[in-house]
């Protein structure tokens, strides 16, 4: 089966798309909806889109200070820790990640033309209610 798929893709110039859409198409053709899981709680960023998990209301674990050790500059380490102390607003459908998202990159769940709403219908709905607002 995979040789037929590869042959089709090779003969139609689909290979210029990159691997992500090819993996998605293959999963859609070869697996049932119950065998596919959309990881809403894992962030993703590509050049033109991103998925940034929303922070959970009333479910954020207490934050422990984290002073990363990739630099010996104590001032930079403290500044980095202070940056992560202020995460994005908590939302009703959040998963609890303490994320800070780039507001300049469109959220894939909300982007016009996204096929995600179709997937949600096929899969039987959101496990957590709705996309981030």
């Amino acid at each position: 089966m995979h040789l037929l798929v590869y042959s089709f893709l090779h003969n139609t110039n689909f290979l210029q798309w990159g691997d992500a859409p090819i993996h998605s198409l293959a999963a859609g053709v070869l697996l049932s909806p119950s065998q596919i899981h959309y990881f809403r709680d894992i962030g993703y960023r590509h050049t033109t889109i991103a998925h940034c998990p929303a922070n959970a209301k009333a479910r954020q674990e207490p934050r422990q200070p984290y002073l990363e050790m990739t630099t010996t500059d104590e001032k930079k380490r403290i500044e980095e820790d202070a940056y992560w102390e202020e995460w994005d607003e908590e939302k009703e459908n959040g998963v609890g990640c303490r994320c800070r998202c780039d507001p300049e990159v469109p959220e894939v769940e909300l982007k016009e033309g996204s096929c995600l709403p179709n997937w949600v219908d096929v899969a039987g709905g959101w496990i957590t209610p709705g996309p981030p607002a």
Side-chain angles (χ1 to χ4, degrees):
M1 176 66 150
H2 71 280
L3 291 176
L4 290 172
V5 172
Y6 179 80
S7 178
F8 169 78
L9 294 173
H10 182 71
N11 291 326
T12 57
N13 281 331
F14 274 68
L15 293 180
Q16 66 187 339
W17 286 9
D19 66 323
I22 302 305
H23 293 158
S24 296
L25 289 169
V29 169
L30 302 173
L31 301 171
S32 71
S34 66
Q35 294 175 295
I36 300 173
H37 177 77
Y38 173 50
F39 291 91
R40 283 187 91 199
D41 56 339
I42 297 176
Y44 170 82
R45 181 170 175 167
H46 205 273
T47 53
T48 59
I49 59 168
H51 170 63
C52 191
N55 298 313
K57 283 188 175 187
R59 291 190 309 178
Q60 295 294 115
E61 294 289 327
R63 182 184 177 279
Q64 300 297 319
Y66 172 71
L67 297 178
E68 56 85 22
M69 300 303 290
T70 59
T71 181
T72 57
D73 183 331
E74 186 70 14
K75 182 179 181 217
K76 285 184 181 177
R77 291 173 62 222
I78 291 170
E79 287 172 355
E80 178 77 5
D81 187 63
Y83 173 84
W84 289 108
E85 182 64 32
E86 300 295 323
W87 55 79
D88 289 347
E89 163 188 349
E90 297 171 352
K91 296 184 180 177
E92 189 62 40
N93 303 316
V95 292
C97 62
R98 281 192 216 95
C99 295
R100 286 194 70 172
C101 303
D102 184 347
E104 301 297 316
V105 180
E107 166 64 51
V108 70
E109 289 188 2
L110 304 173
K111 188 171 172 96
E112 186 177 340
S114 171
C115 64
L116 193 59
N118 298 359
W119 166 248
V120 171
D121 287 344
V122 168
W126 293 102
I127 292 174
T128 57

